[in-house]
Amino acid sequence: MIVMKFGGTSVANFEAITRAIFIVGGRLDKKPVVVVSALSKVTDLLYRISDAAASGNVGEVKTLMGELRSRHVNLASDLLEQSPALKENAVARVNSICDSLEELVNAVCAVGELSDRNKAIIISNGELLSSTIICFVMNAKGIRTNFIDARKMMITSNEYLKGEPVVDEIVKRVPEVVAEAYKGMDAVITQGFIGSNAAGEQTVLGRGGSDYSASLIGMAIDAERIEIWTDVDGVRSADPRAVENTKYLEKISFEEAAEMAHFGAKVLHPLTIEPAVKKNIPIYVLNSMNPSGKGTAILRNELIEDGVKSVSFKENIRVINIFSMKMINTSGFLRRVFEIFSESRVSVDLISTSEANISVTVDASEKIDKVVEQLSEFADVIVDDDKSQVSVIGKNIVRLNGMLKKTFAPLKRTNVYMISQGASFVNISFVVDREELKEVVRDLHYHLFEVEEELEQF
Ligand code: ADP
Ligand code: ASP
Ligand code: MG
């Protein structure tokens, strides 16, 4: 069996869905479990609907709900034009999902208050709608496809908006649910991103979580491979939206991919790699607009060569500087500091320490008020906003001769605030002012990936 996950742009519209189904059709001998995201931009739309409802904005809710409904109804009608009976069923199903959502959203709007529990229900509808439509269209095209509600098998913790997968439960349920659904079928389809807690309440895995769903499902069914179909020709040496001449990477290691994703490369959800590594399942990142391309293979460490693979970045981070004379010669100080971060579930990226100071970086989206308040009880705390974090990633780069010089030489005129060499030998990271980020990333990429190629051409 294989898992085939299609991201938002790969199922964005008529053409994209037609292409995605054609790709699945070519892999039926591998018994695919198809995992889909919401149509491109639909999850954003659902967030806007949640915000409008939470602030009691009836007019806005109505407009946005209309947009959501018409996009899906029109798409279902267009895709199923040739199969009137299926079209009627699909449109009725889409309308019924939208009706339930509208009922909830109107109730939220009336009280002007939105719980995380209801927010999870609202934003899960993107995946429910896309998978419903695509399932109908696959059947219309002659691929007998069964619909799996991911909430029956993707069990998470109680955090409605960022549920942590309960792996034991997922590993138990997924093979059973998939095997049952596969009976007499050519394929099955389910939703990425969404799940439920043990009590059966709606949860989601956090933004971009469909990749993570695919990988968890792949692990649970011992998939031969996990395919992540997206809108780029595989993983590249940097985000092609930020750097012009990025290089295609034919293969990278699990560890390199995990570091890239964790340190900002949005091509994969940061936790995607972990389940695949457990069972040593290769992940392929492929372009649904260029299905014959080779994509990038993400494989075990031993199969990958040493060397720089990527420049990744997180654009909006904060540096929290913690100063205390008590730190000197006090063994429990660091423990206390990190307990505070852990209790508030604020995740720390980079850490550097000196005699009486610890600096850490956190994503700007993390809520740090409570952390700062608690740290301030025994230390002086200064928070620097508007910083960015840049990471050079590649197998064993920390051990490569001259790598630090190569990394920092292009940055002569840049203020560098923190430097951290990953304990794993794969990562050199540092912090710069946000306004300098774009130039730093371009310069660095040029020196690490483009200069030598230019010289070779002479
Ligand atoms: P999907 O909707 O398929 O999940 P995403 O937008 O989440 O797609 O991820 C694909 C995008 O990731 C690409 O369009 C690209 O701009 C971005 N990206 C960031 N870093 C990289 C990288 N190193 N290699 C390739 N793509 C990257
Ligand atoms: N639809 C969700 C999001 O936009 C999940 C995903 O696309 O991976 O965040
Ligand atoms: Mg994504």
Side-chain angles (χ1 to χ4, degrees):
M1 282 191 140
I2 61 170
V3 175
M4 303 178 76
K5 177 256 169 178
F6 291 88
T9 40
S10 301
V11 292
N13 50 34
F14 185 101
E15 292 75 24
I17 291 177
T18 308
R19 230 172 5 232
I21 295 176
F22 181 76
I23 295 170
V24 174
R27 301 265 208 279
L28 296 182
D29 57 326
K30 299 272 179 201
K31 296 187 87 183
V33 176
V34 179
V35 177
V36 291
S37 295
L39 311 184
S40 176
K41 305 270 172 352
V42 163
T43 309
D44 292 339
L45 177 60
L46 290 163
Y47 268 91
R48 279 159 59 209
I49 291 175
S50 311
D51 290 345
S55 53
N57 191 337
V58 182
E60 174 93 347
V61 164
K62 197 154 180 259
T63 312
L64 297 177
M65 273 305 303
E67 222 176 274
L68 181 83
R69 191 188 290 266
S70 62
R71 181 161 170 203
H72 289 90
V73 167
N74 292 343
L75 185 64
S77 310
D78 292 350
L79 282 161
L80 294 161
E81 201 53 64
Q82 313 297 328
S83 320
L86 289 175
K87 174 175 154 177
E88 195 179 316
N89 281 340
V91 169
R93 191 70 206 108
V94 166
N95 273 320
S96 138
I97 294 173
C98 290
D99 290 344
S100 311
L101 173 63
E102 199 150 15
E103 207 175 293
L104 170 65
V105 170
N106 287 341
V108 170
C109 215
V111 285
E113 214 181 89
L114 179 62
S115 62
D116 283 355
R117 182 164 168 266
N118 279 335
K119 190 164 181 175
I121 300 178
I122 297 174
I123 59 178
S124 67
N125 278 281
E127 270 70 11
L128 289 172
L129 285 163
S130 64
S131 57
T132 298
I133 296 174
I134 296 167
C135 185
F136 272 103
V137 183
M138 284 173 75
N139 282 295
K141 287 184 185 290
I143 304 174
R144 287 168 303 165
T145 308
N146 216 344
F147 180 90
I148 297 177
D149 188 327
R151 293 169 294 193
K152 287 201 284 194
M153 55 186 193
M154 196 52 62
I155 307 303
T156 74
S157 65
N158 290 334
E159 281 134 293
Y160 297 107
L161 298 174
K162 214 173 178 190
E164 270 183 41
V166 182
V167 173
D168 289 348
E169 204 55 40
I170 292 171
V171 166
K172 204 173 94 202
R173 292 193 192 198
V174 170
E176 285 169 15
V177 173
V178 169
E180 184 56 34
Y182 235 112
K183 282 185 187 154
M185 292 286 154
D186 302 317
V188 293
I189 185 168
T190 190
Q191 309 78 40
F193 181 56
I194 76 172
S196 76
N197 64 13
E201 293 173 314
Q202 180 73 59
T203 59
V204 295
L205 299 181
R207 290 310 304 263
S210 291
D211 302 326
Y212 193 21
S213 305
S215 177
L216 287 160
I217 293 171
M219 175 193 65
I221 59 168
D222 270 321
E224 181 185 324
R225 53 199 265 154
I226 297 162
E227 298 182 348
I228 305 288
W229 289 90
T230 182
D231 61 353
V232 269
D233 278 324
V235 181
R236 307 190 65 88
S237 54
D239 186 343
R241 283 182 286 208
V243 177
E244 248 176 47
N245 297 314
T246 58
K247 298 279 165 298
Y248 157 70
L249 301 169
E250 190 183 342
K251 52 185 183 176
I252 54 175
S253 70
F254 285 129
E255 198 175 4
E256 287 170 332
E259 293 274 328
M260 284 172 73
H262 185 76
F263 286 92
K266 292 226 171 66
V267 64
L268 288 174
H269 182 278
L271 295 173
T272 309
I273 306 301
E274 196 187 286
V277 172
K278 280 196 189 142
K279 294 267 183 82
N280 194 15
I281 302 171
I283 299 178
Y284 291 81
V285 178
L286 297 149
N287 188 351
S288 64
M289 277 164 269
N290 177 23
S292 57
K294 277 172 65 187
T296 298
I298 304 176
L299 308 167
R300 353 189 269 281
N301 218 16
E302 301 80 68
L303 301 174
I304 304 301
E305 287 172 12
D306 287 356
V308 188
K309 306 292 161 52
S310 140
V311 177
S312 299
F313 59 86
K314 283 191 175 177
E315 183 171 353
N316 195 6
I317 61 134
R318 292 187 166 119
V319 180
I320 306 179
N321 301 290
I322 305 153
F323 303 89
S324 173
M325 293 313 280
K326 284 191 213 131
M327 185 171 155
I328 303 166
N329 295 332
T330 319
S331 61
F333 187 85
L334 282 178
R335 180 173 53 82
R336 199 153 152 227
V337 167
F338 289 109
E339 260 168 18
I340 291 175
F341 280 97
S342 152
E343 278 158 18
S344 289
R345 300 186 55 102
V346 170
S347 115
V348 167
D349 270 343
L350 304 183
I351 304 164
S352 77
T353 65
S354 65
E355 203 181 10
N357 158 255
I358 311 173
S359 298
V360 302
T361 64
V362 298
D363 208 278
S365 61
E366 298 275 4
K367 295 194 175 74
I368 58 163
D369 294 356
K370 196 161 158 225
V371 167
V372 172
E373 193 187 306
Q374 285 177 311
L375 291 171
S376 302
E377 285 169 16
F378 58 92
D380 294 325
V381 182
I382 297 177
V383 179
D384 291 329
D385 288 322
D386 290 326
K387 297 282 180 270
S388 298
Q389 185 172 302
V390 181
S391 303
V392 178
I393 291 160
K395 186 178 168 194
N396 280 327
I397 55 165
V398 173
R399 290 173 170 156
L400 290 183
N401 245 343
M403 196 56 219
L404 279 178
K405 188 171 163 209
K406 234 177 156 180
T407 302
F408 291 105
L411 309 178
K412 282 193 204 92
R413 286 182 302 278
T414 312
N415 286 328
V416 175
Y417 294 92
M418 269 175 77
I419 300 177
S420 165
Q421 280 205 158
S424 55
F425 302 112
V426 208
N427 178 334
I428 300 169
S429 292
F430 54 92
V431 173
V432 297
D433 285 317
R434 190 171 170 186
E435 60 197 26
E436 299 213 43
L437 175 71
K438 294 240 159 70
E439 209 181 320
V440 166
V441 170
R442 270 188 232 123
D443 281 356
L444 194 54
H445 187 274
Y446 178 73
H447 278 85
L448 293 176
F449 293 94
E450 299 167 54
V451 162
E452 276 160 30
E453 203 167 86
E454 266 182 23
L455 288 175
E456 275 164 21
Q457 283 168 6
F458 281 102

